[in-house]
Amino acid sequence: MYLPQQFNHPQHAAAIMREHPFASLVSTDGDGFPFVTHLPLKLIEEGGQSVALLGHCARANPHAGFLQARPQALVTFMGPQAYMSPAVYPDLLRVPTWTYLAVHARVEARMLDGNDAKDAMLKQMIADHEPAYAAQWRGLPESYAHGMLNGIVAFELKILDLKTKVKINQHRPESHAAMHAAYTQGGEQEQAIAQWMQRLGMVS
């Protein structure tokens, strides 16, 4: 992606991926056309580094076959995003823009074979999103659980490269106070951007 230096913040990649795990997995089909699956992914970290993503898709989804044929793919994560009015500037010679956070990960896929590997992956996802469901999952009839596991294809996506874009008008400090005030009064997305402005030290 286009990544001007003032918006290049690789140190925030893991936080964005953890806080916004619903991603877009992009591969190419047999004709070379992009094929996208929207899915939650679990970030795996080792020694403070982002090393892999875990996930799965329906067995009927052709994406698994595309990953097996062409293991390298792109995963994109979108953090909070919001419109930015030119009213935040002290002068009128300005135009609107959009603020947003995004991570692009170049990955290499490895299929996770067998029900044990699939079950271990699902338990990590459950632990992230609804820990209380773990007991219900363990209590399901074995035949039903196996049917559910057989209906998915699980994979590990080894992270080869990360690009992180945090575009919140960092290079225009004269706008920061008014931006933060406006975003604080906005909806969920705007308030999330306001919180990121504080995390980045853009406002006191």
Side-chain angles (χ1 to χ4, degrees):
M1 65 177 158
Y2 175 53
L3 187 56
Q5 188 55 42
Q6 66 265 30
F7 304 138
N8 184 17
H9 287 266
Q11 70 273 28
H12 297 299
I16 296 169
M17 291 187 287
R18 283 194 304 265
E19 294 170 20
H20 303 274
F22 194 67
S24 296
L25 173 61
V26 186
S27 296
T28 53
D29 63 17
D31 296 322
F33 193 80
F35 187 93
V36 183
T37 295
H38 305 286
L39 74 175
L41 293 173
K42 161 73 176 179
L43 175 64
I44 303 300
E45 299 176 85
E46 294 179 1
Q49 299 296 313
S50 301
V51 297
L53 299 159
L54 297 179
H56 67 279
C57 64
R59 183 168 295 279
N61 186 338
H63 209 146
F66 300 151
L67 288 173
Q68 289 176 310
R70 292 168 294 280
Q72 289 206 17
L74 174 69
V75 177
T76 69
F77 296 83
M78 179 60 71
Q81 48 77 28
Y83 172 78
M84 192 189 88
S85 168
V88 299
Y89 292 105
D91 61 286
L92 298 179
L93 200 63
R94 301 290 181 176
V95 294
T97 189
W98 211 270
T99 55
Y100 63 91
L101 289 78
V103 175
H104 287 194
R106 186 164 62 91
V107 299
E108 186 171 72
R110 177 178 69 87
M111 299 298 116
L112 300 178
D113 297 321
N115 284 348
D116 287 346
K118 293 179 186 179
D119 181 67
M121 178 275 300
L122 288 175
K123 284 176 178 172
Q124 292 192 64
M125 303 287 282
I126 291 168
D128 278 357
H129 301 293
E130 191 180 5
Y133 177 72
Q136 183 176 337
W137 170 250
R138 288 192 299 268
L140 292 172
E142 186 174 342
S143 59
Y144 180 84
H146 282 179
M148 293 294 97
L149 291 171
N150 288 334
I152 66 171
V153 176
F155 40 77
E156 177 187 84
L157 305 172
K158 179 182 177 182
I159 295 175
L160 304 177
D161 183 60
L162 284 172
K163 288 185 169 54
T164 308
K165 189 169 186 177
V166 179
K167 180 181 178 290
I168 316 182
N169 225 32
Q170 296 95 315
H171 59 311
R172 301 294 184 191
E174 71 275 15
S175 68
H176 294 175
M179 278 178 63
H180 186 260
Y183 282 152
T184 299
Q185 298 302 313
E188 181 179 349
Q189 295 286 331
E190 288 82 2
Q191 291 180 30
I193 292 286
Q195 291 171 5
W196 268 97
M197 292 182 73
Q198 291 178 310
R199 290 168 77 167
L200 294 170
M202 295 171 63
V203 291
S204 56

